[in-house]
Amino acid sequence: MIIEHSHEKTWLVLIHGLGVSERIWSVPGEEKMKFISFKTLFKQEKEVVSFVDRCYRQYNIASWTQNPFGSIDDAAFQLKDLVSNIGNRDFIFVAHSRGGLVARRAIQLYGLRPKALICLATPHHGSRLADLVIKYMPFIKMAVPSIEQNRASINELRTDAEFIRDINNPENLENEKHVFYFDVCGDSTRYFDWGPINIIGSAQNIFGSLVIDEWRDGAGDGFVSIKSAKSPVTPEKHFYLLPVNHANILINRTTFDIVSDILAKC
């Protein structure tokens, strides 16, 4: 997706997360992750307005759909090519979930110089949900056989994954210090509500203190914990916490107001 209005306008480069496509930025209600419709995940919101619809008049927009089975390094190389294709003019990265790791990796490996990187619910330190999925993959495959195709991608997101250790090592962090970083994350685990039943949020009632932070209301958004959502190079004043889940953060009005304010300052 390339939307260019003017050579004078800054480019917003939108980087999606694992399991979805660039459509999450333009038509989120039509996007699916496996067999789950995002329209279902968004039903708590009063309105569903896409990120592109909210900001495309003010900025040039660039995005692409990553290989769903590719590595973060593969996607980082594609991002480098996309930046080259728009002419290396002024640009800002806005990334969701794993997309933030893709952006950070491209900055580390290729010296990209965005005016800012705004991460929405990025697992900078990995996700314990990924730990659980890999650990119980044989059982999960019985219910969702196609998840085996994503094993390598999920494996990169484990809290003890080699990739997570490498992207956060001091030498690589030095290569990011020229970028203004912002992290926005959520602390709500409300998904799939049927009356009083909240599927993910109910895990805390069942498992008590054993439940992972990602599934603990007030500690995570269902997929990423608050602790993991702040990168090692993000100043405390650039960290924002909202009462949203991992999906709603993409279309929540307050999220966009924060992003819009950051963009204006940049």
Side-chain angles (χ1 to χ4, degrees):
M1 172 173 58
I2 301 290
I3 303 174
E4 182 174 7
H5 296 288
S6 167
H7 286 288
E8 304 299 320
K9 292 185 177 182
T10 296
W11 283 87
L12 291 189
V13 180
L14 307 179
I15 311 163
H16 68 77
L18 181 64
V20 295
S21 72
E22 63 182 306
R23 288 160 54 88
I24 200 69
W25 299 108
S26 56
V27 283
E30 298 178 18
E31 185 62 283
K32 289 185 178 182
M33 184 169 61
K34 295 298 183 183
F35 52 84
I36 301 172
S37 168
F38 269 74
K39 187 175 183 179
T40 302
L41 301 179
F42 292 150
K43 70 178 183 178
Q44 294 178 51
E45 294 292 328
K46 294 180 179 179
E47 59 176 356
V48 177
V49 180
S50 75
F51 197 94
V52 169
D53 284 342
R54 290 192 191 277
C55 66
Y56 83 98
R57 297 181 188 278
Q58 298 170 274
Y59 303 92
N60 298 319
I61 304 289
S63 187
W64 88 105
T65 295
Q66 303 161 31
N67 177 350
F69 313 121
S71 69
I72 294 173
D73 281 355
D74 290 340
F77 183 82
Q78 294 169 351
L79 177 56
K80 183 262 296 183
D81 280 351
L82 178 63
V83 169
S84 178
N85 288 337
I86 63 176
N88 288 305
R89 286 175 282 169
D90 284 347
F91 61 95
I92 295 171
F93 290 153
V94 180
H96 178 236
S97 194
R98 190 186 86 144
L101 298 176
V102 172
R104 289 184 58 198
R105 196 59 159 177
I107 291 167
Q108 291 180 353
L109 295 179
Y110 306 113
L112 301 187
R113 303 186 70 87
K115 297 174 72 175
L117 166 57
I118 305 171
C119 292
L120 308 178
T122 290
H124 296 288
H125 304 281
S127 171
R128 290 187 64 197
L129 179 58
D131 296 347
L132 290 179
V133 171
I134 293 300
K135 181 177 181 179
Y136 296 107
M137 181 67 79
F139 303 101
I140 297 173
K141 284 196 303 181
M142 295 178 186
V144 188
S146 61
I147 199 169
E148 176 63 34
Q149 298 173 311
N150 301 106
R151 179 191 289 268
S153 299
I154 297 171
N155 198 52
E156 283 189 306
L157 300 178
R158 290 183 296 107
T159 55
D160 61 348
E162 181 179 352
F163 175 84
I164 294 297
R165 291 196 302 269
D166 190 54
I167 199 172
N168 292 318
N169 75 42
E171 182 178 346
N172 282 329
L173 292 179
E174 280 293 323
N175 295 328
E176 298 184 77
K177 288 188 174 179
H178 62 280
V179 178
F180 287 110
Y181 276 79
F182 300 85
D183 281 306
V184 185
C185 70
D187 65 358
S188 172
T189 60
R190 298 193 66 84
Y191 295 85
F192 309 116
D193 289 354
W194 286 290
I197 301 175
N198 173 22
I199 300 301
I200 293 181
S202 297
Q204 187 171 346
N205 297 328
I206 297 171
F207 299 105
S209 61
L210 297 177
V211 74
I212 59 176
D213 281 352
E214 286 79 353
W215 288 351
R216 190 186 302 278
D217 212 39
D221 67 4
F223 289 80
V224 178
S225 70
I226 294 172
K227 293 178 181 179
S228 186
K230 182 177 182 294
S231 87
V233 289
T234 301
E236 192 64 42
K237 64 181 180 179
H238 290 176
F239 181 73
Y240 302 84
L241 178 62
L242 301 175
V244 295
N245 64 36
H246 198 69
N248 287 28
I249 196 171
L250 286 164
I251 48 93
N252 178 267
R253 179 71 209 194
T254 303
T255 300
F256 181 76
D257 287 344
I258 290 172
V259 172
S260 182
D261 183 59
I262 294 170
L263 294 176
K265 291 177 180 178
C266 290

